């Protein structure tokens, strides 16, 4: 910096004016570095120095002093009138805690030296020149004495100008004192010529220094305030609640981001404006009228028509009195503050919790009810029958715990549970009532299964698996994820051990009774036959027509009794697992023809039409049993077609499954839909059969199915009430018949 021209001495008034001006300028400056420069520059300009340095005592952010008031602890804040190099050097050198600067920093007094180089030379000690340590002590003592007025400025001891320091002779320094007279720093001026500073300069510098102290305080205060305001601002805008300040007239003075966003959004629509009334203006008016509001619930719809819930608090805003305001009671109202606390999410969570609790309560009620049921109940979903819910009895039936969402087969395998048919054969997976219900959508009633547990114990059960229709009304299952339309089945297992026990006893009884009946029946049958032969042989014995009819009735009744006892014996045989098949290779076509021919003799009203699509169908069967099946089907076709008509029988090969297929179609009374599901059960008869007074025991179809299935075949039917029935039977083929249908068609057709 170029030294300024030497100024003319200022007169008193000029000094005051200059000080005032600079005072205003200092107060207007908010940048500390620029302020320090301005002070230093002003000092140089006003007092005519060539060099000015500003040193400050370090403070913390709160402005508290961090070091004792010793010069070398101070830091150089600004320097002018030196080269850049010297400036750098200054920054590195101690600022002179001893010597001439010590009174300024340590004792807070100004120092004015006319000629630094002319200061009193050091007294030699006894040992010659004093050491540096001794020189420092001398300088400190003289500084102390000067500060306390017992030494003139001329007697101050200088430690000399450090190397690299600009050469100065005139020196003027003044402390920067704060309100409590603590030394905050020092303002030092220098000039290369001697005797440049006078008493008025000193007074001016002291005045300037005290103004500078206030200005520095102000700048720091301003900066602290500024930082504080910024912090508060950041906090204000980061509050998740909407906060709005209004003036006493209700006009918005400030609002945070949250509040602003919502307000702008609401102002877009008339409906929103109404909501803003309830949310902002009304609470503000209440608060300003002295009725403060706390957590008033306000609900509104946003632009997406979503319901938003707020709790609104409106309170008065009082101006804080200044700390030295004696009348602290007077707190003028500066407006109101309105806070919108968004509770939409909280309410939603609460609602969800409430719903969850309700569902849970319902579920546990359902579970309790289910657990009280004596029968085992469970609900499954999906094609692999994953468990939704089951009851306590189910655990007992399975002898294991089935976890929710576990597929049925995995549960059975994991617990080594096997399911058997009543005849003791293993039940194929696809025939399990539960899986049939979910995989095929069938509702299965009274299906008999035997559960064998891992420990080898068996439990006979009656299964009802009911498919629930999810297509029309999806079920809300208490599971985490569910495909709305996947199959759902309710399965009830009834332990029928006791029933089975009774059934065994009954079967035993029937078995014994039937067995015991056979001998007298055979004798009676023999006698009747003998009687009839005798009648034919002895022409002289003449019976009346009535007697002959009675004899025929007795014969027919005998036939039925024999059939019934035979059927009963077969049933008990099957139940006891004593049925043995005597298999022999047979041509089914020939067998069917034979049975038809024989039956035709006693069925005058009906015509049998056989169409065989193969010349022969070779099967390995127990001929007697399959004949029994065919006879039963023929007998039913005749019996349940009381008005006669044609009975169509077809025979063919199903090459895809390697089976022989027989169908028998009658024009009879049919089977009512409701009873179709149970028609193969023992002693089951359709209502219309009984209503028509047709004799029967309900055992024939049961035995037929057992026999056919034991041959590896199957039996089923299609029927409509009053429109007739068609029964189907398949039996596995053992060899391919020669395909020469055309040649044999006519021959195969038999109207025997
Ligand atoms: P039964 O004929 O001795 O009563 P089945 O076991 O042979 O016993 O038949 C069971 C029931 O099925 C019959 O009582 C009858 O209701 C019905 N049924 C069987 N076959 C026919 C048929 N072809 N037409 C109509 N109903 C039939």
């Amino acid at each position: 910096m170029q030294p300024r021209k030497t100024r003319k001495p200022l007169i008193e008034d000029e000094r005051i004016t200059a000080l005032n001006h600079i005072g205003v300028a200092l107060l207007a400056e908010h940048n500390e570095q620029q302020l320090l420069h301005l002070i230093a520059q002003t000092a140089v300009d006003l007092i005519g120095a060539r060099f000015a340095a500003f040193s400050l005592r370090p403070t913390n952010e709160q402005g508290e002093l961090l070091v004792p008031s010793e010069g070398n602890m101070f830091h150089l804040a600004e320097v002018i009138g030196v080269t850049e190099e010297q400036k750098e050097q200054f920054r590195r050198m101690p600022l002179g805690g001893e010597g001439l600067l010590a009174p300024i920093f340590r004792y807070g007094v100004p120092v004015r030296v006319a000629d630094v180089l002319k200061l009193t030379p050091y007294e030699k000690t006894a040992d010659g020149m004093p050491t540096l340590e001794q020189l420092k002590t001398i300088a400190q003592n003289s500084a102390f004495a000067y500060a306390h007025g017992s030494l003139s400025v001329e007697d101050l001891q200088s430690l000399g100008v450090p190397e690299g320091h600009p050469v100065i002779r005139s020196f003027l320094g003044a402390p920067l004192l704060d309100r409590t007279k603590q030394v905050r720093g020092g303002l030092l001026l220098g000039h290369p010529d001697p005797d440049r500073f006078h008493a008025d300069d000193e007074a001016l510098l002291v005045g300037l220094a005290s103004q500078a102290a206030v200005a520095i305080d102000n700048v720091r205060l301003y900066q602290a305030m500024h930082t504080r305001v910024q912090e508060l601002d950041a906090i204000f805008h980061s509050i998740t609640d909407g906060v709005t300040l209004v003036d006493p007239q209700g006009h918005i003075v400030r609002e945070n981001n949250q509040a602003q966003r919502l307000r702008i959004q609401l102002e877009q629509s008339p409906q929103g404006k109404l909501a803003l009334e309830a949310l902002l203006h009304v609470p503000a008016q209440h608060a300003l009228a002295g009725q403060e509001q706390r957590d008033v619930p306000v609900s509104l719809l946003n632009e997406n028509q979503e319901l938003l819930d707020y709790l609104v608090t409106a309170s008065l805003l009082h101006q804080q009195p200044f700390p030295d305001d004696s009348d602290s009671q007077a707190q003028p109202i500066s407006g109101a503050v309105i806070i919108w606390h968004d509770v939409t999410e909280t309410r939603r969570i609460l609602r969800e919790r409430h719903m969850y609790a309700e569902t849970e309560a319902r579920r546990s009620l359902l579970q309790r009810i289910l657990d009280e049921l004596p029968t085992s109940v469970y609900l499954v979903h999906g094609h692999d029958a994953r468990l939704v819910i089951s009851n306590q009895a189910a655990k007992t039936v399975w002898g294991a715990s089935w976890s929710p969402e576990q597929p049925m087969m995995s549960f059975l395998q994991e617990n080594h549970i096997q399911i058997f048919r009543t005849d003791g054969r293993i039940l194929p997976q696809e025939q399990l009532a539960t899986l049939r219900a979910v995989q095929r959508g069938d509702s299965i009633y009274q299906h008999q299964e035997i559960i064998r547990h891992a420990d080898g114990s068996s439990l006979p059960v009656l299964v009802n698996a009911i498919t629930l229709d999810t297509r029309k009304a999806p079920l809300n299952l208490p599971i985490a994820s569910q495909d709305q339309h996947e199959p759902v089945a309710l399965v009830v297992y009834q332990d029928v051990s006791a029933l089975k026990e009774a059934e065994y006893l009954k079967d035993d009884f029937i078995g014994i009774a039937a067995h015991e009946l056979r001998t007298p029946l055979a004798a009676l049958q023999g006698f009747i036959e003998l009687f009839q032969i005798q009648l034919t042989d002895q022409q002289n014995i003449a019976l009346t027509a009535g007697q002959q009819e009675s004899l025929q009735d007795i014969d027919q009744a005998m036939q039925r009794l024999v059939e019934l006892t035979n059927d009963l014996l077969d049933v008990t045989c099957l139940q006891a697992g004593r049925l043995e098949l005597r298999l022999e290779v047979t041509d089914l076509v020939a067998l069917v023809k034979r049975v038809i021919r024989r039956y035709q003799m006693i069925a005058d009203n009906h015509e049998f039409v056989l169409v065989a699509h193969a010349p022969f169908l070779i099967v390995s069967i127990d001929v007697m049993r399959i004949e029994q099946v065919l006879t039963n089907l023929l007998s039913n076709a005749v019996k349940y077609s009381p008005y006669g008509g044609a009975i169509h029988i077809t025979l063919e090969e199903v090459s895809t499954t390697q089976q022989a297929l027989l169908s028998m179609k009658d024009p009879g009374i049919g089977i009512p839909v409701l009873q179709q599901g149970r028609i193969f059960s023992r002693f089951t008869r359709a209502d219309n059969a009984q209503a028509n007074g047709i004799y029967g025991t309900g055992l024939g179809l049961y035995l037929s199915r057992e026999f056919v299935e034991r041959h590896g075949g199957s039996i089923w039917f299609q029927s409509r009430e009053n429109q007739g029935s068609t029964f189907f039977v398949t039996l596995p083929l053992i060899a391919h018949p020669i395909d020469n249908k055309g040649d044999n068609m006519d021959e195969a057709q038999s109207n025997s």
Side-chain angles (χ1 to χ4, degrees):
M1 177 178 283
Q2 286 304 306
R4 307 271 167 129
K5 279 185 192 160
T6 314
R7 52 140 193 131
K8 280 191 220 138
L10 293 172
I11 57 166
E12 188 67 13
D13 285 355
E14 283 174 331
R15 280 171 189 264
I16 290 168
T17 315
L19 264 180
N20 279 343
H21 279 155
I22 194 66
V24 174
L26 292 182
L27 289 175
E29 182 57 65
H30 290 149
N31 179 308
E32 186 172 333
Q33 198 53 47
Q34 281 171 18
L35 176 76
L36 295 176
H37 183 80
L38 182 64
I39 295 167
Q41 191 63 59
T42 307
V44 167
D45 288 350
L46 279 180
I47 298 168
R50 287 278 177 81
F51 157 87
F54 219 127
S55 57
L56 287 177
R57 194 168 162 191
T59 55
N60 63 13
E61 278 180 10
Q62 283 73 43
E64 290 158 359
L65 298 161
L66 292 175
V67 295
S69 56
E70 290 175 31
N72 53 6
M73 299 283 203
F74 286 39
H75 67 88
L76 185 72
E78 181 62 0
V79 58
I80 55 176
V82 296
T83 62
E84 279 305 312
E85 246 179 4
Q86 284 170 327
K87 219 182 229 180
E88 269 313 298
Q89 208 171 359
F90 267 124
R91 290 195 198 284
R92 287 194 299 272
M93 73 176 52
L95 286 174
E98 296 90 15
L100 293 180
L101 298 183
I104 306 166
F105 294 130
R106 199 174 293 174
Y107 308 109
V109 293
V111 172
R112 176 164 53 88
V113 182
D115 190 351
V116 174
L117 301 181
K118 268 195 184 168
L119 285 174
T120 317
Y122 307 108
E123 283 173 24
K124 284 191 180 168
T125 60
D127 308 330
M129 279 300 284
T131 61
L132 189 62
E133 280 310 305
Q134 285 167 333
L135 281 177
K136 280 184 182 172
T137 314
I138 294 165
Q140 275 169 10
N141 290 342
S142 72
F144 182 82
Y146 168 75
H148 290 85
S150 55
L151 197 78
S152 75
V153 76
E154 289 78 22
D155 294 328
L156 270 171
Q157 292 294 332
S158 167
L159 287 171
V161 179
E163 217 183 311
H165 196 287
V167 177
I168 56 161
R169 292 187 70 176
S170 298
F171 172 76
L172 181 59
L176 251 70
L177 300 174
D178 65 11
R179 280 193 217 105
T180 58
K181 300 292 170 212
Q182 292 255 41
V183 181
R184 291 271 163 177
L187 184 52
L188 317 169
L189 301 180
H191 198 286
D193 299 340
D195 200 21
R196 295 294 301 199
F197 306 123
H198 304 104
D200 56 343
D201 294 324
E202 186 180 319
L204 188 60
L205 189 67
V206 169
L208 190 63
S210 57
Q211 285 217 19
V214 176
I216 289 171
D217 261 6
N218 279 349
V219 164
R220 293 207 169 153
L221 226 83
Y222 172 82
Q223 277 169 352
M225 282 284 287
H226 187 66
T227 314
R228 203 61 209 279
V229 165
Q230 279 180 330
E231 282 168 7
L232 286 175
D233 232 39
I235 294 169
F236 184 63
H237 287 296
S238 66
I239 296 172
T240 47
D241 290 347
V243 183
T244 308
L245 308 182
V246 295
D247 65 14
Q249 286 70 46
H251 300 130
I252 296 172
V253 202
R254 274 200 86 182
E255 59 192 347
N256 70 353
N257 290 341
Q258 289 289 344
Q260 192 185 46
R261 205 175 304 132
L262 183 62
R263 178 180 58 75
I264 292 173
Q265 194 188 324
L266 291 174
E267 277 170 352
Q268 310 292 315
S269 68
Q271 196 191 3
K273 280 184 186 150
L274 270 178
L276 201 58
E277 272 296 305
L279 206 59
L280 179 69
H281 302 303
V282 172
Q285 278 160 17
H286 279 294
L288 290 169
Q291 299 153 4
E292 294 190 319
Q293 314 259 289
R294 177 151 283 279
D295 293 339
V296 179
V298 175
S299 298
L300 51 103
L301 286 174
N302 69 4
E303 77 270 29
N304 302 325
Q305 298 305 302
E306 292 160 340
L307 189 72
L308 303 179
D309 294 310
Y310 287 93
L311 289 180
V312 180
T313 296
S315 36
L316 272 181
L317 202 61
H318 293 280
Q319 239 167 35
Q320 285 299 314
F322 284 109
D324 52 356
D325 195 342
S326 54
D327 187 7
S328 60
Q329 295 299 312
Q331 288 188 10
I333 293 166
S334 64
V337 55
I338 295 92
I339 299 169
W340 304 328
H341 182 49
D342 187 349
V343 288
T344 313
E345 191 57 16
T346 321
R347 291 256 160 103
R348 192 186 60 76
I349 293 168
L350 280 177
R351 268 197 299 273
E352 270 183 13
R353 260 193 219 154
H354 186 67
M355 267 162 59
Y356 176 77
E358 251 181 24
T359 318
E360 198 43 40
R362 264 194 239 132
R363 204 195 63 80
S364 70
L365 175 68
L366 175 69
Q367 184 71 58
R368 266 197 75 179
I369 294 170
L370 287 181
D371 284 345
E372 293 302 323
L373 289 177
T375 40
S376 136
V377 180
Y378 60 82
L379 193 71
V380 286
H381 74 115
H383 292 283
D384 50 355
R386 273 164 285 136
L387 184 73
V388 177
I389 191 169
S390 65
N391 69 352
Q392 202 57 37
K395 213 184 213 176
T396 318
V397 162
W398 291 120
S401 205
W402 185 355
S403 335
E405 284 303 298
Q406 187 177 21
M408 183 181 199
M409 285 320 290
S410 126
F411 162 67
L412 295 181
Q413 278 154 16
E414 193 175 282
N415 294 286
H416 309 288
I417 298 170
Q418 286 181 302
I419 312 245
F420 288 85
R421 290 159 37 132
T422 43
D423 61 8
R425 282 185 293 167
I426 198 140
L427 191 67
Q429 187 177 324
E430 66 279 4
Q431 284 181 27
L432 284 172
T434 308
L435 289 176
R436 273 170 64 191
V438 285
Q439 287 173 358
R440 295 196 227 153
D442 300 343
S443 279
I444 293 120
Y445 298 97
Q446 309 289 354
H447 192 252
Q448 288 192 45
E449 293 179 5
I450 294 172
I451 298 172
R452 187 167 301 159
H453 301 124
D455 61 3
S457 60
S458 292
L459 190 72
V461 286
L462 214 53
V463 189
N464 285 295
I466 299 130
T467 32
L468 307 179
D469 194 349
T470 52
R471 277 161 306 172
K472 285 181 201 141
L475 289 168
N476 233 343
L477 299 180
I479 49 173
S481 65
Q482 182 204 358
D483 170 1
Q484 290 280 299
H485 299 298
E486 66 181 353
V488 177
L490 175 70
V491 188
V492 180
Y493 270 57
Q494 194 185 346
D495 175 356
V496 288
S497 320
L499 276 176
K500 277 277 163 195
E501 193 56 37
E503 208 170 72
Y504 289 141
L505 284 174
K506 185 193 72 193
D507 285 344
D508 267 6
F509 168 74
I510 293 173
I512 294 165
H515 198 262
E516 290 307 310
L517 273 172
R518 255 169 92 157
T519 326
L521 273 177
L524 277 174
Q525 210 176 12
F527 284 129
I528 288 170
E529 273 169 21
L530 187 69
F531 191 46
Q532 279 175 331
I533 293 167
Q534 282 174 353
L535 273 178
T536 340
D537 291 351
Q538 296 173 18
Q539 301 295 333
N540 55 343
I541 301 174
L543 290 183
T544 62
Q547 282 171 330
Q548 271 188 5
E549 212 173 295
S550 302
L551 199 60
Q552 264 174 14
D553 284 351
I554 292 172
D555 188 32
Q556 242 176 35
M558 276 306 302
Q559 281 296 332
R560 283 184 190 169
L561 268 173
V562 171
E563 272 170 30
L564 176 63
T565 40
N566 284 340
D567 280 356
L568 285 175
L569 276 171
D570 283 345
V571 169
T572 49
C573 217
L574 274 170
Q575 292 299 314
R578 287 200 307 267
L579 185 89
E580 273 180 26
L581 299 178
R582 290 195 191 87
L583 299 179
E584 49 188 295
V585 175
T586 311
D587 174 17
L588 189 65
V589 179
L591 177 67
V592 171
K593 279 183 183 168
R594 197 167 69 236
V595 175
I596 290 175
R597 208 173 303 125
R598 211 178 46 223
Y599 209 83
Q600 182 70 77
M601 290 195 287
I602 50 164
D604 323 327
N605 273 344
H606 301 81
E607 181 193 4
F608 296 104
V609 183
L610 170 69
V611 178
H613 293 294
F616 45 78
L617 294 166
I618 308 300
V619 287
S620 170
I621 51 170
D622 183 325
V623 177
M624 199 188 89
R625 294 303 182 190
I626 295 301
E627 209 174 313
Q628 209 175 325
V629 172
L630 294 170
T631 311
N632 181 52
L633 292 180
L634 275 178
S635 134
N636 281 351
V638 169
K639 237 182 358 179
Y640 297 111
S641 306
Y643 305 111
I647 290 159
H648 293 272
I649 302 128
T650 65
L651 272 169
E652 61 188 287
E653 178 203 348
V654 185
S655 51
T656 46
T657 52
Q658 274 285 323
Q659 282 175 319
L661 170 68
L662 170 131
S663 74
M664 194 180 294
K665 186 173 185 304
D666 67 55
I669 59 171
I671 303 168
V673 178
L674 278 179
Q675 283 144 24
Q676 290 187 0
R678 308 184 55 221
I679 218 72
F680 285 102
S681 308
R682 275 186 298 166
F683 305 111
T684 304
R685 305 202 65 216
D687 292 344
N688 61 344
Q690 304 192 50
N692 278 288
I694 302 170
Y695 161 82
T697 57
L699 285 175
L701 284 184
Y702 165 74
L703 288 171
S704 299
R705 186 173 70 171
E706 288 294 326
F707 295 152
V708 169
E709 287 187 356
R710 283 180 193 223
H711 279 86
S714 49
I715 180 168
W716 72 98
F717 66 90
Q718 288 165 355
S719 181
R720 289 185 81 171
E721 204 172 354
N722 297 322
Q723 290 185 26
S725 315
T726 308
F727 278 80
F728 302 89
V729 173
T730 59
L731 286 169
L733 285 169
I734 57 165
H736 249 292
I738 301 155
D739 189 8
N740 51 359
K741 286 179 211 163
D743 301 346
N744 292 280
M745 207 56 165
D746 295 336
E747 195 197 315
Q749 285 197 356
S750 162
N751 291 354
S752 44

